[in-house]
Amino acid sequence: MTLRLTPCSDWPELWSLREDISLSVPPTGQAVELHSPGIAVRLADPTGVIGMALYRLCLGPIRLGNVLAGLTDLQRSEIQRLFITVEGLLVRSLATQTGRPLLSVVPLSPQAQFRPALLPAHRTVMLSRSAALRRQGHAHVLQAPPALHQVVLHLADTLRIIESLRAPTRVEDITGAVGAPPSAAAVLAFLTASGTVTTGSVDGAPAVGFGEQHGTAPAHPPPGAAEVQGHGGGVWDDDPPVRPEPVERSALRRPGRQAAAGTTGAENPFPARGVTGTNRPLTH
């Protein structure tokens, strides 16, 4: 499956760069550089389109349509090639129709690939056997080594779906359950693509290797997770998740976003966030 620039469902998808990524945006025509611990990427940018796209992703989660607006088909193809190159540095978020974040899929390796797709209704899904859930402020973080992503769960709707995945369950039983959030199908697509949820055979019986993702799961949970077994073999930090306080959309944004609005041609106002160089006129 190729990397798609369009959402996999009717629910808004947001894109951003990982928090630890620093970006150097030189004058148009010069190479753009991305840096993080252990990573250095240099990208040719003769037209300035790549620098523009990466700069906007640095400002925080944004709908990709806002980045692609006004670009030619050739420029869109250039952006798609860029995202394939830096896919392991991109955070993909699913939001409600009003823009509140539901969950964010964060890559843990530059080699990580994330290709969400809606699952057939009869497909059987379950948490990976190595799944571990831990609190992080008002959010929860789901990890399932050796999966190359972790998932930050922002709203209680996603926690209810996680709870339903402790045992093998058909997609249609989750999405059609009384009280199921309308976003359930899209959430399952994101969780499965992240490697934290695995799929089984279509007849409802576990497939070979059910509950494992990308090889044999390790015997120990990730650091910080207490070894409390869930019904599906997952590791949980407490009893079944309780409703956390909702996280507002601003919680996903990086500091300085407000200062960035309307900044044109001036020296970059937030060097502490790792963006260096001269800002181009942008409307976010």
Side-chain angles (χ1 to χ4, degrees):
M1 182 187 300
T2 59
L3 178 65
R4 295 174 46 177
L5 300 185
T6 55
C8 72
S9 70
D10 294 332
W11 290 82
E13 295 182 13
L14 309 176
W15 299 58
S16 59
L17 282 171
R18 254 175 29 193
E19 291 283 351
D20 63 338
I21 300 298
S22 62
L23 169 66
S24 173
V25 183
T28 300
Q30 298 184 22
V32 175
E33 296 183 358
L34 292 172
H35 296 276
S36 75
I39 300 172
V41 180
R42 185 178 176 87
L43 302 163
D45 187 21
T47 65
V49 170
I50 288 177
M52 177 275 296
L54 291 176
Y55 177 83
R56 300 188 75 171
L57 293 179
C58 262
L59 299 181
I62 182 175
R63 295 196 191 204
L64 200 55
N66 294 339
V67 176
L68 301 177
L71 299 184
T72 65
D73 290 342
L74 182 61
Q75 290 172 324
R76 287 170 179 254
S77 297
E78 190 176 354
I79 295 298
Q80 185 172 31
R81 289 192 297 271
L82 161 69
F83 285 175
I84 291 174
T85 301
V86 300
E87 188 171 4
L89 309 179
L90 296 174
V91 177
R92 304 281 297 276
S93 300
L94 187 67
T96 67
Q97 297 294 355
T98 58
R100 297 182 67 190
L102 282 164
L103 58 81
S104 299
V105 178
V106 182
L108 302 176
S109 165
Q111 285 72 48
Q113 293 186 345
F114 183 72
R115 312 291 169 88
L118 293 177
L119 301 172
H122 55 259
R123 184 65 55 83
T124 304
V125 289
M126 179 183 175
L127 281 174
S128 169
R129 289 176 183 168
S130 63
L133 185 69
R134 58 183 173 84
R135 293 183 185 274
Q136 182 173 290
H138 292 312
H140 285 72
V141 177
L142 180 67
Q143 291 180 296
L148 299 182
H149 296 88
Q150 67 179 16
V151 183
V152 181
L153 309 171
H154 301 289
L155 295 183
D157 282 352
T158 56
L159 293 176
R160 286 193 287 269
I161 293 173
I162 293 297
E163 180 63 20
S164 69
L165 293 167
R166 290 198 183 197
T169 309
R170 288 177 182 265
V171 170
E172 59 191 351
D173 293 333
I174 297 175
T175 59
V178 176
S183 59
V187 169
L188 290 175
F190 266 55
L191 292 174
T192 303
S194 74
T196 58
V197 166
T198 58
T199 59
S201 62
V202 296
D203 61 3
V208 175
F210 197 102
E212 299 181 3
Q213 184 76 15
H214 306 304
T216 303
H220 301 288
E227 296 191 42
V228 180
Q229 292 297 320
H231 301 301
V235 182
W236 302 79
D237 65 350
D238 49 19
D239 292 330
V242 297
R243 179 183 293 271
E245 297 180 21
V247 178
E248 299 298 332
R249 181 176 175 82
S250 60
L252 275 177
R253 299 182 179 180
R254 292 181 169 88
R257 184 186 176 110
Q258 297 299 325
T263 302
T264 57
E267 287 301 310
N268 196 295
F270 20 62
R273 292 176 49 254
V275 182
T276 60
T278 302
N279 292 348
R280 299 191 181 93
L282 295 174
T283 302
H284 189 67

